[in-house]
Amino acid sequence: MFERHEGGNQAILVHVDFPQGPYHQQSREDKQEFIELVRSAGIEQLAMLTLKRDKPDAKFFVGTGKIEELSALVDTLEAPLVLFNHSLSPAQERNIEAATKCRVVDRTGLILDIFAQRAQSYEGKLQVELAQLKHMSTRLIRGWTHLERQKGGIGLRGPGETQLETDRRLLRGRIKWIESRLNKVDKQRQQSRQARKKAHLPTLSLTGYTNAGKSTLFNLITEADVFAADQLFATLDPVIRKVHWPESGQVVLADTVGFIRHLPHDVVAAFKATLQESKEASLLLHIIDASDERRDENIKQVYRVLEEIGADSVPTLEIYNKIDTIPGAVPRIDYDNQDRPVRVWVSAVTGAGLDLLQEAIGIRLGEVALDYLISLPPQFGKARAQLYQAAAVIDESISDDGLWNMHIQMSRSEWEQIKRNTGVDLSLYRQQDHEQPENLLPESFEYSDFDELDQDPIDDIDKS
């Protein structure tokens, strides 16, 4: 019978480098980032075992020789925990634990543990638990083989449900329960987004690699007091604030969870409602650590995750942060060949370049926000319905010849989406540009309408 070891807050780290071959991109991880993850989890590093392989070993991931070396190292240092900088299969974790006689956690488990430490809101805790349960569901048989036995006792002997089957059933039930609650959160977020659309508030979503400085920049812009620290995944719960800039007017700014290379799919699925803020944003502010040696690779990883969640078509403005750590770097705006801002260099710590950032956002929001008068023939009822569904219609009247004269305000991405859905090119029915009103907010607008996370998103759930 095999039982899992307890583990602890001291660990031996294992890092495998795949210098070439098909596993170079698939399984290769960064060693320094691994050390930062361990530090963020509050774990003390006892030693690090590094090696090179062409491909992972099917049984132990690192091969039999290195497993013997790792076992000896565990005995010498009396280490209660071994952390792998890679995703392990359930069988590999079982085999390594049996050989080393200590707890083994892979990269995915480490990230989930950090998430569990950071979650503060009720929604965040549900999301983390969902990701943990999905990860655990494939490892029940690995850690608790005695659960394969059937229940004993009077009335329970004989053919029937094994303890393992009972645990799996209970696990599925808990996952289903959490998903139903998160669906309610998602619906509430959708209602809030519709309210912002009706108030014609553009949404800016901060996105980027973890520890790029998103929360520090968020605090600088909004004068908020969101937790910010020099560690990976310092921010887990999303925060939304309304701000006013002279260059762009009233906008809603959302700070979201940071990304990381090979972000576990269970995490992406669990945080779908949170990541939806990026997908529905008017403009993505991609925060980049300009001083990071892995900057270019981190940028690619962020765009991969954005593509995975369906946010790759959202207009993006890159913000190169932490220029205060680069000798000779000064705030500036980089333009493309169409004189459109594509990159802004700032420092969230010193505030350098904030005025340039506001200027660039104002230009880009003017590019994505459309304010048109159109006249639609009666046969285009489907296009008219989708305009209303997108909360884009400000005013409408019917002319003597039966045309729908509509004043619409919407993002360019929504404009193109309606064109794809209906086959109608609305630009053919434009009359003229409409002057942008000075204030798009109704008099009754209150900040609390959009501060979604200051209160429990689900009122009818017993939190006990």
Side-chain angles (χ1 to χ4, degrees):
M1 187 171 67
F2 171 71
E3 303 230 0
R4 296 210 69 181
H5 300 271
E6 290 297 325
N9 292 325
Q10 296 178 316
I12 295 174
L13 313 186
V14 180
H15 171 76
V16 183
D17 189 21
F18 299 94
Q20 57 186 358
Y23 294 92
H24 178 73
Q25 293 297 333
Q26 178 182 342
S27 301
R28 190 169 185 246
E29 304 291 356
D30 188 270
K31 184 169 68 173
Q32 183 59 38
E33 183 178 85
F34 182 38
I35 295 175
E36 293 175 6
L37 278 173
V38 172
R39 180 174 63 88
S40 297
I43 297 174
E44 179 186 351
Q45 176 185 338
L46 297 178
M48 173 173 280
L49 183 65
T50 59
L51 63 145
K52 290 185 178 181
R53 288 186 64 90
D54 293 332
K55 63 179 182 179
D57 179 73
K59 185 176 182 180
F60 293 113
F61 195 86
V62 295
T64 56
K66 283 296 179 181
I67 279 295
E68 293 177 358
E69 183 180 342
L70 178 61
S71 300
L73 196 59
V74 169
D75 292 338
T76 302
L77 299 178
E78 298 182 351
L81 180 65
V82 172
L83 296 177
F84 272 73
N85 191 22
H86 310 274
S87 294
L88 303 176
S89 69
Q92 286 171 337
E93 277 194 25
R94 181 191 65 227
N95 295 335
I96 298 171
E97 285 195 1
T100 59
K101 296 180 175 59
C102 74
R103 183 93 171 192
V104 174
V105 177
D106 66 352
R107 178 185 173 87
T108 301
L110 178 60
I111 292 175
L112 291 177
D113 183 78
I114 296 173
F115 275 33
Q117 295 181 44
R118 301 284 189 270
Q120 298 295 326
S121 70
Y122 182 60
E123 176 194 3
K125 292 176 181 178
L126 284 178
Q127 290 171 324
V128 171
E129 184 181 357
L130 177 61
Q132 287 177 324
L133 290 177
K134 287 186 174 181
H135 182 65
M136 186 192 306
S137 62
T138 61
R139 287 159 163 76
L140 278 178
I141 192 171
R142 185 256 305 131
W144 304 96
T145 54
H146 68 283
L147 298 183
E148 295 175 355
R149 297 174 298 175
Q150 293 182 4
K151 299 174 183 177
I154 297 176
L156 297 175
R157 293 189 179 93
E161 188 179 56
T162 65
Q163 185 63 47
L164 178 61
E165 291 168 340
T166 301
D167 272 40
R168 282 177 173 166
R169 174 170 52 81
L170 295 174
L171 198 66
R172 287 194 299 267
R174 180 67 178 173
I175 289 176
K176 185 176 180 180
W177 183 87
I178 294 177
E179 286 178 337
S180 68
R181 267 53 186 178
L182 288 177
N183 285 336
K184 289 188 177 181
V185 176
D186 192 22
K187 290 179 180 178
Q188 195 234 10
R189 286 188 178 278
Q190 290 176 6
Q191 292 173 353
S192 298
R193 283 190 290 267
Q194 288 298 324
R196 292 199 292 268
K197 286 182 179 180
K198 289 180 180 179
H200 305 287
L201 281 172
T203 300
L204 309 178
S205 180
L206 297 178
T207 188
Y209 209 78
T210 181
N211 202 30
K214 295 184 295 299
S215 295
T216 304
L217 184 62
F218 183 87
N219 288 337
L220 177 67
I221 294 173
T222 64
E223 298 181 359
D225 191 23
V226 174
F227 176 71
D230 184 19
Q231 58 187 23
L232 303 186
F233 298 114
T235 300
L236 184 60
D237 297 307
V239 183
I240 296 177
R241 294 290 186 271
K242 186 187 71 174
V243 296
H244 181 272
W245 283 339
E247 293 82 358
S248 51
Q250 303 272 13
V251 298
V252 173
L253 191 66
D255 185 19
T256 60
V257 62
F259 300 148
I260 197 168
R261 57 173 50 83
H262 299 155
L263 188 66
H265 291 285
D266 291 338
V267 172
V268 175
F271 283 76
K272 181 181 68 173
T274 299
L275 297 175
Q276 192 75 8
E277 293 296 341
S278 297
K279 184 178 178 181
E280 299 290 339
S282 306
L283 180 67
L284 285 180
L285 303 182
H286 180 185
I287 315 301
I288 300 166
D289 184 353
S291 63
D292 196 328
E293 297 177 353
R294 302 157 294 179
R295 183 181 69 188
D296 294 340
E297 177 61 26
N298 293 348
I299 292 174
K300 293 178 182 178
Q301 294 294 333
V302 169
Y303 283 123
R304 287 193 188 106
V305 177
L306 290 176
E307 182 179 2
E308 186 175 348
I309 66 176
D312 53 319
S313 61
V314 180
T316 303
L317 175 65
E318 293 184 346
I319 302 175
Y320 281 66
N321 189 25
K322 303 185 181 181
I323 62 171
D324 54 295
T325 62
I326 303 176
V330 295
R332 71 176 191 270
I333 300 178
D334 294 340
Y335 297 86
D336 61 10
N337 53 12
Q338 298 177 347
D339 291 331
R340 181 181 63 170
V342 293
R343 198 175 298 110
V344 186
W345 297 74
V346 303
S347 170
V349 172
T350 65
L354 181 60
D355 54 338
L356 297 179
L357 175 59
Q358 294 175 352
E359 176 186 342
I361 290 176
I363 296 174
R364 293 300 300 269
L365 284 180
E367 175 186 284
V368 299
L370 305 180
D371 195 336
Y372 292 156
L373 290 177
I374 62 174
S375 295
L376 285 180
Q379 62 267 31
F380 294 146
K382 182 178 179 181
R384 175 176 176 268
Q386 293 210 7
L387 287 171
Y388 271 99
Q389 186 177 1
V393 181
I394 305 302
D395 188 32
E396 181 187 44
S397 62
I398 301 178
S399 62
D400 294 337
D401 51 0
L403 296 177
W404 287 309
N405 296 319
M406 309 173 73
H407 173 202
I408 62 172
Q409 291 177 342
M410 60 195 305
S411 68
R412 187 173 299 276
S413 59
E414 290 175 319
W415 174 277
E416 296 296 331
Q417 183 66 38
I418 292 177
K419 178 180 177 180
R420 289 192 294 268
N421 292 344
T422 64
V424 177
D425 187 356
L426 296 177
S427 60
L428 299 176
Y429 303 93
R430 259 180 69 189
Q431 299 304 308
Q432 64 185 68
D433 292 351
H434 196 275
E435 292 186 1
Q436 187 78 10
E438 293 183 2
N439 184 19
L440 296 178
L441 291 176
E443 294 295 330
S444 60
F445 176 85
E446 295 291 342
Y447 165 73
S448 59
D449 293 338
F450 302 99
D451 191 8
E452 303 170 50
L453 297 180
D454 281 352
Q455 56 185 355
D456 192 340
I458 308 170
D459 296 330
D460 59 341
I461 294 180
D462 182 5
K463 301 179 186 177
S464 61

